[in-house]
Amino acid sequence: MAKLIINGGSRLEGEIAVQGAKNAALPVLAAALLTDEPVIIYNWPAISDVYHMLSILEHIGAYVGFEKDRLVIDTRRALRWEMPDKLAKEIRSSIFMMGPILARFRMARFTYPGGCEIGNRPIDLHLKGLRSLGVNVTETGGHIMCEGRRLKGGDVHLDYPSVGATENLMMAAALAPGRTVIRNAAREPEIIELQNVINQMGGDVNGAGTSTVVIEGKSRLGGFTYRCMPDRIAAGTYMMAAVVTDGKITLKNVIPEHLFAITSKIREAGAKVDIYDDAVTVTGQGRPKEMHLIETGPYPGFPTDMQAQMCTAACIAKGTSIIVESVFDNRFKHVPELQRMGANIVIKNNVAVIRGVERLHGAEVTAMDLRGGAALVLAGLCAQGVTVVDQAKIIDRGYETFESELSLLGADIKREE
Ligand code: UD1
């Protein structure tokens, strides 16, 4: 069981080139199934979620080649429309395969997906949307059978702007005859990336980034070359490393506009943020100030994937901060772990009230989910003494070379397998 051992107290300083975005790469990998021509992806993040998606593609029959800094995927020989149970359970994003597999084979068989334990994560919106596109969905004994002989364009209203459902439906609709309109669509930047990719394949998608996405289905799509956008959550995590260690970190290769919700809270916490064309510098100004209210929401709201990291900063802030988690129903699993490190946090339902303490102290804690695990590492960086973060492999799902980047910035951190 891998662990990260952190001797806290170092001030982090330096520059990082931010990795490619996990949440952009995963749906784009699924989109490789929409064509039988080769697909090339640059700047892909070498994280375990991506390797899991590649294993699923290989199981389906795709060729996956690692060439220098690029990935080559060729699905010409893809033949399986059944998702392997074990792989599907490893990663929630396996659900993105449902739309493309259906579009390609007009059949798909799935188990309920796994992924981070951050509450009840149903897939009803995905299934309801697919039914609106003429797919016959039956659910038996934990399996979902989709029969899509009559797959066609349709009108979908999402009850909630789900990122995954929006992407899944865009991909199914890209090869469904007729027009599909997705209303109350998610507006995350990753949706725009997927639109650009589908259009590069010869598809016809409009409206991504707004709440209405319109897709004119095509009978076939071609290959594409994609350069992964920078990961706004990885960037945000390193920015918080500067805040909690009173350090100075420059993130290169970022899209500042994607970080506004985060930079605004970092400024509220009293740190200095300098924004350049494609870089951001965060400079700590001593102990953070309280952040009165952070409420997570769909983009452009505050990202739920940054909630845990903000929680760590709130733990050592001068006053009391309130965090409301409005996207997921059980995303405070890092809180009992932070409490072991001396944090003063009270939780009621989806609200956390955090009274800042002068200093956290080292403890043995467990990463329960990806971002919660990153938050514990941040806590370890600013705590007094040694922190051991167990189940560190969860953090590898989303961060490429996390501890080596932090070491380069001056952290005293090492991994033990
Ligand atoms: C994506 C991101 C994840 C991020 C999340 C919210 C990827 C690979 N992952 O996850 O990092 O935390 O967006 O920004 O892009 N819901 C339903 N029914 C559904 C689908 C979703 O009730 O069929 C609910 C979920 O339980 C959750 C909310 O909708 O409460 C948002 O989920 P969703 O936007 O779908 O998240 P993911 O796409 O899984």
Side-chain angles (χ1 to χ4, degrees), residues 265-293:
K265 285 294 160 198
I266 291 180
R267 284 185 171 138
E268 201 178 313
K272 186 164 169 276
V273 183
D274 294 303
I275 298 177
Y276 309 99
D277 287 349
D278 62 354
V280 171
T281 301
V282 177
T283 314
Q285 306 287 319
R287 195 175 157 197
K289 289 197 256 174
E290 74 276 14
M291 292 156 286
H292 296 286
L293 175 67

Side-chain angles (χ1 to χ4, degrees), residues 22-23 26 92-93 96 120-126 160-164 188 304-305 327-328 331:
K22 162 174 124 23
N23 290 354
L26 295 172
R92 177 168 166 89
S93 306
F96 295 134
N120 189 19
R121 296 180 85 176
I123 54 167
D124 55 317
L125 300 173
H126 299 249
Y160 184 90
S162 155
V163 176
E188 269 67 3
T304 174
D305 287 351
V327 177
F328 288 106
R331 205 171 191 179

Side-chain angles (χ1 to χ4, degrees), residues 186-202:
R187 295 187 286 154
E188 269 67 3
E190 292 78 11
I191 311 270
I192 303 177
E193 292 290 286
L194 182 61
Q195 168 176 286
N196 293 343
V197 162
I198 296 174
N199 288 344
Q200 205 197 120
M201 299 169 89

Side-chain angles (χ1 to χ4, degrees), residues 4-5 86 94 113 158 229 257 299 324 353 366 411:
L4 289 173
I5 299 161
K86 188 175 170 293
S94 57
L158 293 176
M229 72 193 279
E257 191 192 327
Y299 191 86
V324 182
V353 177
T366 305

